[in-house]
Amino acid sequence: MSELIGNIVILVGAFFLFSAGLGLLRMPDVFTRIQAGTKASTLGNILVLSGLGIHHPDWALKLLIVAYFVLMTNPLSSHALSRAAHAAGAPMVGTVVDALRDEDGIAAKESSP
Amino acid sequence: MPEDQGTTQRTASGLLGGLIVLWIVCFTVWLVINSSVAPPIVATGALVSLVVAVIFIRRGDVWRIQAAPRTAYHLLAYTCVFFCELVKANINMLRYVYAPRIDIRPGIVKVNMPLKSSIGRLALTNSIALTPGSLVMDLRGDALFIHLLDVRTSDPEEASRMIIGPFRRHLEAAFG
């Protein structure tokens, strides 16, 4: 019985990971792609790890540490990537407002007389 | 920073609390990874994690937190809110990904950062990255720049209420 529940949880996690990959392909620009990748892959990873934990209850605590590691580092890397992409001037599709560019523009105007 | 008697005392007590919290965290990770409670392993772990905690506490201000039962309660409540938001974010993202036409209006908005301590800021920015349709781009002074999939308002007050509203109360109480 616990095997079946573990399998179902792993399957749901795999579905979220698949959606993350599909989101990477379908989204229009760098930042929206990073968003799709971050969220769905975090939950997918956690679900796969907890499914493994249901299969092997004696691994549960170690898997919890791995899950925390993913939870801490996944947003961090997406943050670093998106910041670098914006600094390098990656194009944004269909942008409504870009406060960061406006801020940069003000700073550039102030520094150059 | 104005340093009067009260703040220095609080910093010292926060230092000790942070040391104990960090020691316990390191020691727990060590025990779990070893998955054994043989005396030599426990003794080595306690010593090494104490040294690591002391080094980290002396090197920076990051771990100066108050350890109190209220902090633990708010951390627990924050974890529950966080997981609800994470599941919501994923369902939201599935809707975008499987929609026949992706209908988004992305943009970057500026929001005020309500928290002062670095560990609280880390927790808040990481949570924002995992909530529905938002991603932290940059932090300059007290201004957070957040990339939104669907910009509904450019007013900073309303945007901040929408984005950091759910976490703000618990994180403020836990880290300040």
Side-chain angles (χ1 to χ4, degrees), chain A residues 42-107:
Chain A
T42 307
L43 189 65
N45 266 320
I46 289 174
L47 283 176
V48 169
L49 289 172
S50 46
L52 272 177
I54 294 171
H55 265 282
H56 301 272
D58 47 329
W59 295 358
L61 283 174
K62 282 183 194 180
L63 292 172
L64 189 69
I65 287 183
V66 178
Y68 258 99
F69 183 75
V70 170
L71 210 55
M72 292 299 290
T73 52
N74 215 345
L76 218 61
S77 61
S78 73
H79 164 70
L81 280 174
S82 64
R83 189 166 180 270
H86 193 278
M92 294 176 72
V93 176
T95 309
V96 181
V97 54
D98 189 345
L100 193 55
R101 190 189 55 207
D102 297 346
E103 189 93 353
D104 280 341
I106 292 167

Side-chain angles (χ1 to χ4, degrees), chain A residues 15-16 18-20 22-23 26-29 31-32 34-36 38-44 46 61-62 65 68 71-76 78-80 82-83 86 92-101 103-104, chain B residues 28-29 32-35 79 82-83 86-87 89-91 93-94 96-102 104-110 122 125-126 128-140 145 147-149 151 154:
Chain A
F15 170 71
F16 276 114
F18 173 77
S19 312
L22 195 65
R26 286 204 66 194
M27 287 294 180
D29 67 355
F31 307 101
T32 48
I34 290 174
Q35 284 221 27
T38 315
K39 292 182 221 319
S41 72
T42 307
L43 189 65
I46 289 174
L61 283 174
K62 282 183 194 180
I65 287 183
Y68 258 99
L71 210 55
M72 292 299 290
T73 52
N74 215 345
L76 218 61
S78 73
H79 164 70
S82 64
R83 189 166 180 270
H86 193 278
M92 294 176 72
V93 176
T95 309
V96 181
V97 54
D98 189 345
L100 193 55
R101 190 189 55 207
E103 189 93 353
D104 280 341
Chain B
T28 315
V29 170
V32 167
I33 288 177
N34 272 293
S35 58
T79 313
F82 172 74
F83 272 102
L86 181 57
V87 172
N90 275 279
I91 292 166
M93 189 51 73
L94 287 189
Y96 283 127
V97 167
Y98 289 109
R101 219 181 122 265
I102 294 184
I104 51 176
R105 291 183 301 153
I108 298 175
V109 296
K110 184 177 169 183
L122 173 72
T125 43
N126 270 10
I128 288 173
L130 294 172
T131 47
S134 52
L135 173 70
V136 177
M137 305 277 302
D138 207 347
L139 174 63
R140 291 183 186 167
F145 293 89
H147 181 267
L148 289 177
L149 268 191
V151 178
S154 57

